[in-house]
Coordinates of all heavy atoms in Angstrom, one line a residue:
M709 N 2.7 -5.0 -8.3 CA 3.3 -4.4 -9.5 C 4.4 -5.2 -10.2 O 5.2 -5.8 -9.5 CB 3.9 -3.0 -9.1 CG 2.9 -2.1 -8.5 SD 3.6 -0.5 -8.1 CE 2.3 0.3 -7.1
D710 N 4.3 -5.4 -11.5 CA 5.3 -6.2 -12.1 C 6.5 -5.4 -12.6 O 6.6 -4.2 -12.4 CB 4.6 -7.1 -13.2 CG 4.1 -6.2 -14.4 OD1 4.5 -5.0 -14.4 OD2 3.3 -6.7 -15.1
K711 N 7.4 -6.1 -13.3 CA 8.6 -5.5 -13.8 C 8.4 -4.3 -14.8 O 9.2 -3.4 -14.9 CB 9.6 -6.5 -14.4 CG 10.2 -7.4 -13.3 CD 11.0 -8.5 -13.9 CE 11.5 -9.4 -12.8 NZ 12.0 -10.7 -13.4
S712 N 7.3 -4.4 -15.5 CA 7.0 -3.4 -16.5 C 6.2 -2.3 -15.9 O 5.6 -1.5 -16.7 CB 6.4 -4.0 -17.7 OG 5.1 -4.6 -17.3
C713 N 6.0 -2.3 -14.6 CA 5.2 -1.3 -14.0 C 5.7 0.1 -14.2 O 6.8 0.4 -14.1 CB 5.2 -1.6 -12.5 SG 4.3 -0.4 -11.5
T714 N 4.7 1.0 -14.6 CA 5.0 2.4 -14.9 C 4.7 3.3 -13.7 O 4.8 4.5 -13.7 CB 4.2 2.9 -16.1 OG1 2.8 2.8 -15.8 CG2 4.5 2.1 -17.3
R715 N 4.3 2.6 -12.6 CA 3.9 3.3 -11.3 C 2.8 4.3 -11.5 O 2.7 5.3 -10.9 CB 5.1 4.0 -10.7 CG 6.2 3.0 -10.3 CD 7.5 3.6 -9.9 NE 7.4 4.6 -8.9 CZ 8.3 5.4 -8.4 NH1 9.5 5.3 -9.0 NH2 8.1 6.2 -7.5
C716 N 1.8 3.9 -12.4 CA 0.7 4.8 -12.6 C -0.3 4.8 -11.4 O -1.1 5.7 -11.2 CB -0.1 4.4 -13.8 SG -1.0 2.8 -13.6
G717 N -0.2 3.7 -10.5 CA -1.0 3.6 -9.3 C -2.4 3.1 -9.5 O -3.1 2.9 -8.5
K718 N -2.8 2.8 -10.7 CA -4.2 2.4 -10.9 C -4.6 1.2 -10.1 O -5.8 1.1 -9.7 CB -4.5 2.2 -12.4 CG -4.6 3.5 -13.2 CD -4.9 3.3 -14.6 CE -4.9 4.6 -15.4 NZ -4.7 4.4 -16.9
C719 N -3.7 0.3 -10.0 CA -4.1 -1.0 -9.3 C -4.2 -0.8 -7.8 O -4.7 -1.7 -7.1 CB -3.1 -2.1 -9.6 SG -1.4 -1.6 -9.2
C720 N -3.8 0.4 -7.3 CA -3.8 0.6 -5.8 C -4.8 1.7 -5.4 O -5.1 1.9 -4.2 CB -2.4 1.0 -5.3 SG -1.1 -0.2 -5.8
L721 N -5.2 2.5 -6.4 CA -6.0 3.7 -6.1 C -7.4 3.5 -5.6 O -8.1 4.4 -5.2 CB -6.0 4.7 -7.3 CG -4.7 5.4 -7.5 CD1 -4.7 6.1 -8.9 CD2 -4.5 6.5 -6.4
H722 N -7.9 2.2 -5.7 CA -9.2 1.9 -5.2 C -9.2 0.8 -4.2 O -10.2 0.1 -4.1 CB -10.1 1.6 -6.4 CG -10.2 2.8 -7.3 ND1 -11.0 3.9 -7.1 CD2 -9.6 3.0 -8.5 CE1 -10.9 4.7 -8.1 NE2 -10.0 4.2 -9.0
M723 N -8.1 0.6 -3.5 CA -8.0 -0.5 -2.6 C -8.2 -0.2 -1.1 O -8.2 -1.1 -0.3 CB -6.5 -1.1 -2.7 CG -6.3 -1.9 -4.0 SD -7.3 -3.4 -4.0 CE -6.7 -4.1 -5.5
R724 N -8.6 1.0 -0.8 CA -8.7 1.3 0.6 C -9.8 0.5 1.2 O -9.7 0.1 2.4 CB -9.1 2.8 0.8 CG -9.3 3.2 2.3 CD -9.4 4.7 2.5 NE -8.2 5.4 2.1 CZ -7.2 5.7 2.9 NH1 -7.3 5.3 4.2 NH2 -6.1 6.3 2.5
R725 N -10.9 0.2 0.5 CA -12.0 -0.5 1.1 C -11.6 -1.9 1.5 O -12.2 -2.6 2.3 CB -13.2 -0.6 0.1 CG -12.9 -1.6 -1.1 CD -14.0 -1.5 -2.1 NE -13.8 -0.3 -3.0 CZ -14.4 -0.1 -4.1 NH1 -15.3 -0.9 -4.5 NH2 -14.1 1.0 -4.8
Y726 N -10.5 -2.5 0.9 CA -10.1 -3.8 1.2 C -8.9 -3.9 2.2 O -8.7 -4.9 2.8 CB -9.6 -4.5 -0.1 CG -10.7 -4.6 -1.2 CD1 -10.5 -4.0 -2.4 CD2 -11.9 -5.2 -0.9 CE1 -11.4 -4.1 -3.4 CE2 -12.9 -5.3 -1.9 CZ -12.6 -4.8 -3.2 OH -13.6 -4.8 -4.1
M727 N -8.2 -2.8 2.3 CA -7.1 -2.8 3.2 C -7.4 -2.3 4.6 O -7.6 -1.1 4.8 CB -5.9 -2.0 2.6 CG -4.6 -2.1 3.3 SD -3.9 -3.7 3.2 CE -3.2 -3.7 1.5
V728 N -7.5 -3.2 5.5 CA -7.9 -2.8 6.9 C -6.7 -2.9 7.8 O -6.2 -4.0 8.0 CB -9.1 -3.7 7.4 CG1 -9.5 -3.3 8.8 CG2 -10.2 -3.7 6.4
I729 N -6.4 -1.8 8.4 CA -5.3 -1.9 9.4 C -5.9 -2.1 10.7 O -6.7 -1.3 11.3 CB -4.5 -0.5 9.4 CG1 -3.8 -0.3 8.1 CG2 -3.4 -0.6 10.5 CD1 -3.1 1.1 7.9
E730 N -5.7 -3.3 11.2 CA -6.4 -3.8 12.5 C -5.7 -3.3 13.7 O -6.3 -3.1 14.8 CB -6.6 -5.3 12.5 CG -7.5 -5.8 11.3 CD -7.7 -7.3 11.4 OE1 -6.8 -8.0 11.5 OE2 -8.9 -7.7 11.2
R731 N -4.4 -3.3 13.7 CA -3.6 -2.9 14.8 C -2.2 -2.4 14.4 O -1.7 -3.0 13.5 CB -3.4 -4.2 15.8 CG -2.8 -3.9 17.1 CD -3.0 -5.0 18.1 NE -2.5 -6.3 17.6 CZ -1.3 -6.8 18.0 NH1 -0.5 -6.1 18.8 NH2 -0.8 -7.9 17.5
S732 N -1.8 -1.4 15.0 CA -0.5 -0.8 14.7 C 0.4 -0.9 15.9 O 0.0 -0.7 17.0 CB -0.6 0.6 14.2 OG -1.4 0.7 13.0
I733 N 1.7 -1.2 15.6 CA 2.7 -1.1 16.7 C 3.7 -0.1 16.2 O 4.5 -0.3 15.3 CB 3.4 -2.5 16.9 CG1 2.4 -3.5 17.3 CG2 4.5 -2.4 17.9 CD1 2.9 -4.9 17.5
G734 N 3.6 1.1 16.9 CA 4.4 2.2 16.4 C 4.0 2.6 15.0 O 2.8 2.3 14.6
E735 N 4.9 3.3 14.3 CA 4.5 3.8 13.0 C 4.8 2.8 11.9 O 4.3 2.8 10.8 CB 5.4 5.0 12.7 CG 5.0 6.2 13.5 CD 5.9 7.4 13.1 OE1 7.1 7.3 13.3 OE2 5.3 8.4 12.7
A736 N 5.7 1.8 12.2 CA 6.3 1.0 11.2 C 5.7 -0.4 11.0 O 5.9 -1.0 10.0 CB 7.8 0.9 11.4
Q737 N 4.9 -0.9 12.0 CA 4.4 -2.2 11.9 C 2.9 -2.2 12.0 O 2.3 -1.6 13.0 CB 4.9 -3.1 13.0 CG 6.4 -3.4 12.8 CD 6.8 -4.6 13.7 OE1 6.3 -5.7 13.5 NE2 7.6 -4.3 14.7
H738 N 2.2 -2.8 11.1 CA 0.7 -2.8 11.1 C 0.2 -4.2 10.8 O 0.6 -4.8 9.8 CB 0.3 -1.8 10.0 CG 0.9 -0.4 10.2 ND1 0.4 0.5 11.0 CD2 2.0 0.1 9.6 CE1 1.1 1.6 11.0 NE2 2.1 1.4 10.1
Y739 N -0.7 -4.6 11.7 CA -1.3 -5.9 11.4 C -2.6 -5.6 10.6 O -3.4 -4.9 11.0 CB -1.6 -6.6 12.8 CG -0.3 -7.1 13.4 CD1 0.4 -6.3 14.2 CD2 0.1 -8.4 13.2 CE1 1.6 -6.7 14.8 CE2 1.3 -8.9 13.7 CZ 2.0 -8.0 14.5 OH 3.2 -8.5 15.0
C740 N -2.7 -6.3 9.5 CA -3.7 -5.9 8.5 C -4.5 -7.1 8.1 O -4.1 -8.2 8.1 CB -3.0 -5.3 7.2 SG -2.0 -3.9 7.6
L741 N -5.7 -6.8 7.6 CA -6.6 -7.7 6.9 C -6.8 -7.2 5.5 O -7.3 -6.0 5.3 CB -7.9 -7.9 7.6 CG -9.0 -8.6 6.9 CD1 -8.6 -10.1 6.7 CD2 -10.3 -8.5 7.6
F742 N -6.4 -8.0 4.5 CA -6.8 -7.6 3.1 C -8.0 -8.4 2.8 O -8.0 -9.6 2.5 CB -5.6 -8.0 2.2 CG -5.8 -7.5 0.8 CD1 -5.8 -6.1 0.6 CD2 -6.0 -8.4 -0.3 CE1 -6.0 -5.6 -0.7 CE2 -6.1 -7.9 -1.6 CZ -6.2 -6.5 -1.8
S743 N -9.2 -7.7 2.9 CA -10.5 -8.4 3.0 C -10.9 -9.0 1.6 O -11.7 -9.9 1.6 CB -11.6 -7.4 3.5 OG -11.7 -6.4 2.5
L744 N -10.3 -8.5 0.6 CA -10.6 -9.1 -0.8 C -10.3 -10.6 -0.8 O -11.0 -11.4 -1.4 CB -9.9 -8.3 -1.8 CG -10.2 -8.7 -3.3 CD1 -11.6 -8.3 -3.6 CD2 -9.2 -8.0 -4.3
T745 N -9.2 -10.9 -0.2 CA -8.7 -12.3 -0.2 C -8.7 -12.9 1.2 O -8.3 -14.1 1.4 CB -7.3 -12.5 -0.8 OG1 -6.5 -11.6 0.0 CG2 -7.3 -12.0 -2.3
K746 N -9.2 -12.1 2.2 CA -9.2 -12.6 3.6 C -7.8 -12.9 4.1 O -7.7 -13.6 5.1 CB -10.1 -13.7 3.8 CG -11.6 -13.4 3.4 CD -12.5 -14.5 3.8 CE -14.0 -14.2 3.6 NZ -14.4 -13.5 2.5
E747 N -6.8 -12.3 3.5 CA -5.4 -12.5 4.0 C -5.1 -11.6 5.2 O -5.3 -10.4 5.1 CB -4.4 -12.3 2.9 CG -3.0 -12.5 3.4 CD -1.9 -12.2 2.3 OE1 -2.3 -11.9 1.1 OE2 -0.7 -12.2 2.6
R748 N -4.6 -12.2 6.3 CA -4.0 -11.4 7.3 C -2.5 -11.4 7.2 O -1.9 -12.4 6.9 CB -4.4 -12.0 8.7 CG -5.9 -11.6 9.1 CD -6.1 -11.8 10.6 NE -7.3 -10.9 10.9 CZ -8.5 -11.2 10.7 NH1 -8.8 -12.4 10.2 NH2 -9.5 -10.4 11.1
F749 N -1.9 -10.2 7.3 CA -0.5 -10.1 7.2 C 0.1 -8.9 8.0 O -0.7 -8.1 8.4 CB -0.1 -9.9 5.7 CG -0.5 -8.6 5.1 CD1 0.4 -7.6 4.9 CD2 -1.8 -8.3 4.8 CE1 0.1 -6.4 4.4 CE2 -2.2 -7.1 4.3 CZ -1.2 -6.1 4.1
R750 N 1.4 -9.0 8.2 CA 2.0 -7.9 8.9 C 2.7 -7.0 7.9 O 3.6 -7.4 7.2 CB 3.0 -8.5 9.9 CG 3.6 -7.4 10.8 CD 4.5 -7.9 11.9 NE 5.6 -8.7 11.3 CZ 6.8 -8.8 11.9 NH1 7.0 -8.2 13.1 NH2 7.7 -9.5 11.4
A751 N 2.3 -5.8 7.9 CA 2.9 -4.8 7.0 C 4.0 -4.1 7.7 O 3.8 -3.6 8.9 CB 1.9 -3.8 6.5
R752 N 5.2 -3.9 7.1 CA 6.3 -3.2 7.7 C 6.7 -2.1 6.7 O 7.0 -2.3 5.6 CB 7.4 -4.2 7.9 CG 7.1 -5.2 8.9 CD 8.3 -6.2 9.1 NE 8.6 -7.0 7.9 CZ 7.9 -8.0 7.5 NH1 6.9 -8.5 8.2 NH2 8.3 -8.6 6.4
I753 N 6.7 -0.9 7.3 CA 7.1 0.3 6.5 C 8.7 0.3 6.6 O 9.2 0.4 7.7 CB 6.6 1.6 7.1 CG1 5.1 1.5 7.5 CG2 6.9 2.8 6.2 CD1 4.2 1.6 6.3
G754 N 9.3 0.3 5.4 CA 10.7 0.4 5.4 C 11.2 1.8 5.9 O 10.5 2.7 5.7
E755 N 12.4 1.8 6.4 CA 12.9 3.1 6.9 C 12.9 4.2 5.9 O 12.6 5.3 6.2 CB 14.3 2.9 7.5 CG 14.4 2.5 8.9 CD 15.8 2.5 9.5 OE1 16.6 3.4 9.1 OE2 16.1 1.6 10.3
D756 N 13.2 3.8 4.7 CA 13.2 4.7 3.6 C 11.9 5.4 3.3 O 11.8 6.4 2.7 CB 13.7 4.1 2.3 CG 15.2 3.6 2.4 OD1 15.8 4.0 3.3 OD2 15.6 2.9 1.5
Y757 N 10.8 4.7 3.7 CA 9.5 5.1 3.4 C 8.7 5.7 4.6 O 7.6 6.2 4.4 CB 8.6 3.9 2.9 CG 9.1 3.4 1.6 CD1 9.3 2.0 1.4 CD2 9.3 4.2 0.5 CE1 9.7 1.5 0.2 CE2 9.7 3.7 -0.7 CZ 9.9 2.3 -0.9 OH 10.3 1.8 -2.1
L758 N 9.3 5.8 5.8 CA 8.6 6.2 7.0 C 8.2 7.7 6.8 O 7.1 8.0 7.2 CB 9.5 6.1 8.2 CG 9.2 4.8 9.1 CD1 10.1 4.8 10.3 CD2 7.7 4.8 9.5
T759 N 9.1 8.5 6.3 CA 8.7 10.0 6.2 C 7.5 10.1 5.2 O 6.6 10.9 5.5 CB 9.9 10.8 5.7 OG1 11.0 10.6 6.6 CG2 9.6 12.2 5.6
A760 N 7.6 9.4 4.1 CA 6.5 9.5 3.2 C 5.2 8.9 3.8 O 4.1 9.5 3.6 CB 6.9 8.7 1.9
F761 N 5.3 7.8 4.5 CA 4.1 7.2 5.1 C 3.4 8.2 6.1 O 2.2 8.2 6.1 CB 4.5 5.9 5.8 CG 3.3 5.2 6.4 CD1 2.3 4.7 5.6 CD2 3.1 5.1 7.8 CE1 1.2 4.0 6.1 CE2 2.0 4.5 8.3 CZ 1.0 4.0 7.5
R762 N 4.2 8.9 6.8 CA 3.7 9.9 7.8 C 2.9 11.0 7.1 O 1.9 11.5 7.6 CB 4.8 10.6 8.6 CG 5.4 9.7 9.6 CD 6.5 10.5 10.4 NE 7.3 9.6 11.2 CZ 8.6 9.5 11.0 NH1 9.3 10.2 10.2 NH2 9.3 8.6 11.8
D763 N 3.2 11.3 5.9 CA 2.6 12.4 5.2 C 1.3 11.9 4.5 O 1.2 11.8 3.3 CB 3.6 12.9 4.1 CG 3.0 14.1 3.4 OD1 2.0 14.7 3.9 OD2 3.6 14.5 2.3
K764 N 0.3 11.6 5.3 CA -0.9 11.1 4.8 C -1.7 12.2 4.0 O -2.5 11.9 3.1 CB -1.8 10.6 6.0 CG -1.2 9.4 6.6 CD -2.0 8.9 7.8 CE -1.4 7.5 8.3 NZ 0.0 7.5 8.7
D765 N -1.5 13.5 4.4 CA -2.2 14.5 3.7 C -1.9 14.6 2.2 O -2.7 15.1 1.4 CB -1.8 15.9 4.3 CG -2.4 16.1 5.7 OD1 -3.3 15.2 6.1 OD2 -2.0 17.0 6.4
S766 N -0.7 14.1 1.8 CA -0.3 14.1 0.4 C -1.3 13.3 -0.4 O -1.3 13.4 -1.7 CB 1.1 13.7 0.2 OG 1.2 12.3 0.6
M767 N -2.0 12.4 0.2 CA -2.9 11.5 -0.6 C -4.4 11.9 -0.4 O -5.3 11.2 -0.8 CB -2.7 10.1 -0.1 CG -1.4 9.5 -0.4 SD -1.1 9.4 -2.2 CE -2.2 8.1 -2.7
N768 N -4.6 13.1 0.1 CA -6.0 13.6 0.4 C -6.9 13.6 -0.9 O -8.1 13.4 -0.8 CB -6.0 15.0 1.0 CG -5.7 14.9 2.4 OD1 -5.7 13.8 3.0 ND2 -5.5 16.1 3.0
Q769 N -6.2 13.8 -2.0 CA -7.0 13.8 -3.3 C -7.4 12.4 -3.8 O -8.1 12.3 -4.8 CB -6.3 14.6 -4.4 CG -5.0 14.0 -4.8 CD -4.3 14.9 -5.8 OE1 -4.8 15.2 -6.8 NE2 -3.0 15.2 -5.5
Y770 N -6.9 11.4 -3.1 CA -7.2 10.0 -3.5 C -7.7 9.3 -2.3 O -7.1 8.3 -1.7 CB -5.9 9.3 -4.0 CG -5.2 10.0 -5.1 CD1 -4.0 10.7 -4.9 CD2 -5.7 10.0 -6.4 CE1 -3.4 11.3 -5.9 CE2 -5.1 10.7 -7.4 CZ -3.9 11.3 -7.2 OH -3.3 12.0 -8.2
P771 N -9.0 9.6 -1.9 CA -9.5 9.0 -0.6 C -9.8 7.5 -0.7 O -9.9 6.9 0.3 CB -10.8 9.8 -0.4 CG -11.2 10.4 -1.8 CD -9.8 10.6 -2.5
E772 N -9.8 7.0 -1.9 CA -10.1 5.5 -2.1 C -8.8 4.7 -2.2 O -8.9 3.5 -2.4 CB -10.9 5.3 -3.4 CG -12.3 6.0 -3.4 CD -13.2 5.6 -2.2 OE1 -13.2 4.4 -1.9 OE2 -13.8 6.5 -1.7
A773 N -7.7 5.4 -2.1 CA -6.4 4.7 -2.3 C -6.0 3.8 -1.1 O -6.4 4.1 0.0 CB -5.3 5.7 -2.6
C774 N -5.3 2.8 -1.4 CA -4.7 2.0 -0.3 C -4.0 2.9 0.7 O -3.2 3.8 0.2 CB -3.7 0.9 -0.9 SG -2.8 0.0 0.3
P775 N -4.1 2.7 2.0 CA -3.5 3.5 2.9 C -1.9 3.5 2.9 O -1.3 4.3 3.5 CB -4.0 3.1 4.3 CG -4.5 1.7 4.0 CD -5.0 1.7 2.6
F776 N -1.4 2.5 2.2 CA 0.1 2.4 2.1 C 0.6 3.0 0.8 O 1.8 2.9 0.6 CB 0.5 0.9 2.2 CG 0.1 0.3 3.5 CD1 -0.8 -0.7 3.6 CD2 0.7 0.8 4.7 CE1 -1.2 -1.3 4.8 CE2 0.3 0.3 5.9 CZ -0.6 -0.8 6.0
L777 N -0.2 3.5 0.0 CA 0.2 4.1 -1.3 C 0.6 5.6 -1.1 O 0.0 6.3 -0.3 CB -0.9 4.0 -2.3 CG -0.6 4.4 -3.8 CD1 0.4 3.4 -4.4 CD2 -1.8 4.6 -4.6
R778 N 1.7 5.9 -1.7 CA 2.1 7.3 -1.7 C 2.5 7.8 -3.1 O 2.8 6.9 -4.0 CB 3.3 7.5 -0.7 CG 3.0 7.4 0.7 CD 2.0 8.5 1.2 NE 1.7 8.3 2.6 CZ 0.7 7.6 3.1 NH1 -0.1 6.9 2.2 NH2 0.4 7.5 4.4
Q779 N 2.6 9.1 -3.3 CA 2.9 9.6 -4.6 C 4.2 10.4 -4.6 O 4.5 11.1 -3.6 CB 1.7 10.5 -5.0 CG 1.9 11.0 -6.5 CD 0.7 11.8 -6.9 OE1 0.0 12.5 -6.1 NE2 0.4 11.8 -8.2
D780 N 5.0 10.2 -5.6 CA 6.2 11.0 -5.8 C 6.1 11.7 -7.2 O 6.2 11.0 -8.2 CB 7.4 10.1 -5.8 CG 8.7 10.8 -6.0 OD1 8.7 12.0 -6.0 OD2 9.7 10.1 -6.3
Q781 N 5.8 13.0 -7.1 CA 5.4 13.7 -8.3 C 4.3 13.0 -9.1 O 3.2 12.8 -8.5 CB 6.7 13.9 -9.2 CG 7.7 14.7 -8.5 CD 9.0 15.0 -9.2 OE1 9.3 14.3 -10.2 NE2 9.8 15.9 -8.8
E782 N 4.5 12.5 -10.3 CA 3.5 11.8 -11.0 C 3.4 10.3 -10.8 O 2.5 9.6 -11.3 CB 3.6 12.1 -12.5 CG 3.5 13.6 -12.9 CD 2.1 14.1 -12.4 OE1 1.1 13.5 -12.7 OE2 2.2 15.2 -11.8
S783 N 4.4 9.7 -10.1 CA 4.5 8.3 -9.9 C 4.0 7.9 -8.5 O 4.1 8.7 -7.5 CB 5.9 7.8 -10.0 OG 6.3 8.1 -11.3
F784 N 3.5 6.7 -8.4 CA 3.0 6.1 -7.1 C 3.9 5.0 -6.7 O 4.5 4.3 -7.5 CB 1.6 5.6 -7.2 CG 0.6 6.7 -7.5 CD1 0.3 7.2 -8.7 CD2 -0.1 7.3 -6.4 CE1 -0.6 8.2 -9.0 CE2 -1.0 8.3 -6.6 CZ -1.3 8.8 -7.9
Y785 N 4.0 4.8 -5.4 CA 4.8 3.6 -4.9 C 4.2 3.1 -3.6 O 3.4 3.8 -2.9 CB 6.2 4.0 -4.7 CG 6.4 5.2 -3.7 CD1 6.7 4.9 -2.4 CD2 6.4 6.5 -4.2 CE1 6.9 6.0 -1.5 CE2 6.6 7.5 -3.3 CZ 6.8 7.3 -2.0 OH 7.0 8.3 -1.1
C786 N 4.5 1.8 -3.4 CA 4.0 1.1 -2.2 C 5.0 1.2 -1.1 O 6.2 0.9 -1.2 CB 3.8 -0.3 -2.6 SG 3.3 -1.4 -1.2
T787 N 4.6 1.7 0.1 CA 5.5 1.9 1.2 C 5.7 0.6 2.0 O 6.5 0.6 2.9 CB 5.0 3.0 2.2 OG1 3.7 2.6 2.6 CG2 4.9 4.4 1.5
I788 N 5.0 -0.5 1.6 CA 5.2 -1.8 2.3 C 5.6 -2.8 1.2 O 5.2 -4.0 1.3 CB 4.0 -2.2 3.1 CG1 2.7 -2.3 2.2 CG2 3.7 -1.3 4.3 CD1 1.6 -3.2 2.8
Y789 N 6.3 -2.4 0.2 CA 6.5 -3.2 -1.0 C 6.9 -4.6 -0.6 O 6.4 -5.6 -1.1 CB 7.5 -2.6 -1.9 CG 7.6 -3.2 -3.2 CD1 6.6 -3.1 -4.2 CD2 8.6 -4.1 -3.5 CE1 6.7 -3.7 -5.4 CE2 8.7 -4.8 -4.7 CZ 7.7 -4.6 -5.7 OH 7.8 -5.2 -6.9
S790 N 7.9 -4.8 0.3 CA 8.5 -6.1 0.5 C 7.5 -7.0 1.4 O 7.7 -8.2 1.5 CB 9.9 -6.0 1.2 OG 9.8 -5.3 2.4
S791 N 6.6 -6.3 2.1 CA 5.6 -7.1 2.9 C 4.2 -6.9 2.5 O 3.3 -7.2 3.3 CB 5.8 -6.7 4.4 OG 5.6 -5.3 4.5
R792 N 4.0 -6.5 1.2 CA 2.6 -6.4 0.7 C 1.9 -7.7 0.7 O 2.6 -8.8 0.6 CB 2.7 -5.7 -0.7 CG 3.3 -6.5 -1.8 CD 3.7 -5.6 -2.9 NE 4.2 -6.3 -4.1 CZ 5.3 -6.9 -4.2 NH1 6.2 -7.0 -3.2 NH2 5.6 -7.5 -5.4
P793 N 0.6 -7.7 0.6 CA -0.1 -9.0 0.6 C 0.1 -9.8 -0.7 O 0.5 -9.2 -1.7 CB -1.6 -8.6 0.8 CG -1.7 -7.2 0.3 CD -0.3 -6.6 0.7
E794 N -0.2 -11.1 -0.6 CA 0.0 -12.0 -1.8 C -0.7 -11.5 -3.0 O -0.2 -11.6 -4.1 CB -0.5 -13.4 -1.4 CG 0.4 -14.1 -0.4 CD 1.9 -14.2 -0.9 OE1 2.1 -14.6 -2.1 OE2 2.8 -13.9 -0.1
H795 N -1.9 -11.0 -2.8 CA -2.7 -10.4 -4.0 C -1.8 -9.4 -4.8 O -1.8 -9.4 -6.0 CB -4.0 -9.8 -3.5 CG -4.7 -9.1 -4.6 ND1 -5.6 -9.7 -5.4 CD2 -4.7 -7.7 -5.0 CE1 -6.1 -8.8 -6.3 NE2 -5.6 -7.6 -6.0
C796 N -1.2 -8.5 -4.0 CA -0.4 -7.5 -4.7 C 0.9 -8.1 -5.3 O 1.3 -7.7 -6.4 CB 0.0 -6.4 -3.7 SG -1.5 -5.7 -2.9
K797 N 1.5 -9.1 -4.6 CA 2.7 -9.7 -5.1 C 2.4 -10.5 -6.4 O 3.2 -10.5 -7.3 CB 3.3 -10.7 -4.1 CG 3.9 -10.0 -2.9 CD 4.4 -11.0 -1.9 CE 5.0 -10.3 -0.7 NZ 5.3 -11.2 0.4
K798 N 1.2 -11.1 -6.5 CA 0.9 -11.9 -7.7 C 0.3 -11.1 -8.8 O 0.1 -11.6 -9.9 CB -0.1 -13.0 -7.3 CG 0.6 -14.0 -6.4 CD -0.4 -15.1 -5.9 CE 0.3 -16.1 -5.1 NZ -0.7 -16.9 -4.3
F799 N -0.1 -9.8 -8.5 CA -0.8 -9.0 -9.5 C 0.1 -8.8 -10.8 O 1.3 -8.5 -10.7 CB -1.1 -7.7 -8.9 CG -1.9 -6.8 -9.9 CD1 -3.2 -7.0 -10.2 CD2 -1.2 -5.7 -10.6 CE1 -3.9 -6.2 -11.1 CE2 -1.9 -4.9 -11.5 CZ -3.2 -5.2 -11.7
I800 N -0.5 -9.1 -11.9 CA 0.2 -8.9 -13.2 C -0.6 -7.9 -14.0 O -1.8 -8.1 -14.2 CB 0.3 -10.2 -14.0 CG1 1.2 -11.2 -13.2 CG2 0.9 -9.9 -15.4 CD1 1.4 -12.5 -13.9
C801 N 0.0 -6.8 -14.3 CA -0.7 -5.7 -15.0 C -1.0 -6.1 -16.4 O -0.1 -6.7 -17.1 CB 0.3 -4.5 -15.0 SG -0.6 -3.0 -15.5
S802 N -2.2 -5.9 -16.8 CA -2.5 -6.2 -18.2 C -2.6 -5.0 -19.1 O -2.7 -3.9 -18.7 CB -3.9 -6.9 -18.3 OG -4.9 -6.1 -17.6
Ligands
SF4_1373 S1 1.0 -2.6 -12.0 FE1 -0.4 -1.1 -11.1 S2 0.9 0.8 -10.9 FE2 2.0 -0.6 -12.3 S3 1.4 0.0 -14.4 FE3 0.0 -1.7 -13.7 S4 -1.8 -0.6 -12.8 FE4 -0.1 0.9 -13.0
SF4_1374 S1 -0.2 -2.9 -0.4 FE1 1.0 -1.7 -1.8 S2 0.8 -2.8 -3.8 FE2 -0.9 -3.5 -2.5 S3 -2.6 -2.1 -2.9 FE3 -1.5 -1.2 -1.2 S4 0.0 0.2 -2.1 FE4 -0.8 -1.2 -3.7

């Protein structure tokens, strides 16, 4: 998400098929494969986001969404923002 991001979530709402959580250590650390680019990375849930991350039911209406995406009213946010994969870091919204 870039600086002009409105947090609409569109770039993340269909990413579940690419985001594979291969191994988890507790709730906060997840070894992942982002299969679109074949990047392996360690996702870390920030303390501020742990409660939201636990609430998986809140995303039931978006079954194709990235497993790290959560919604706050009408806005979406990434619970692993600082450790998201390179594809997400480089993404520029058009
Ligand atoms: S970067 Fe993603 S969440 Fe932000 S405005 Fe663009 S599509 Fe929406
Ligand atoms: S890691 Fe974050 S920015 Fe990337 S698709 Fe998932 S929710 Fe979106």
Side-chain angles (χ1 to χ4, degrees):
M709 298 181 190
D710 66 16
K711 287 177 186 161
S712 60
C713 176
T714 61
R715 295 172 56 188
C716 73
K718 283 181 186 162
C719 57
C720 311
L721 282 169
H722 300 282
M723 286 295 186
R724 180 171 296 268
R725 76 189 77 167
Y726 301 121
M727 189 65 79
V728 182
I729 299 175
E730 297 185 312
R731 186 163 63 95
S732 298
I733 299 177
E735 292 179 298
Q737 291 195 67
H738 306 276
Y739 288 86
C740 302
L741 169 66
F742 189 63
S743 65
L744 185 65
T745 56
K746 299 185 170 45
E747 179 184 353
R748 281 200 156 80
F749 71 102
R750 184 174 61 149
R752 294 177 298 281
I753 313 284
E755 273 189 36
D756 292 350
Y757 294 131
L758 261 179
T759 301
F761 181 69
R762 285 182 194 123
D763 184 15
K764 295 177 172 57
D765 290 347
S766 67
M767 294 297 289
N768 280 349
Q769 62 182 309
Y770 304 107
E772 302 300 320
C774 173
F776 297 116
L777 188 69
R778 291 293 180 273
Q779 188 177 27
D780 177 11
Q781 296 179 347
E782 296 303 309
S783 299
F784 292 86
Y785 58 94
C786 174
T787 57
I788 59 163
Y789 189 77
S790 60
S791 59
R792 67 201 188 285
E794 289 301 314
H795 172 85
C796 303
K797 288 177 181 170
K798 290 176 179 162
F799 180 76
I800 296 174
C801 192
S802 55

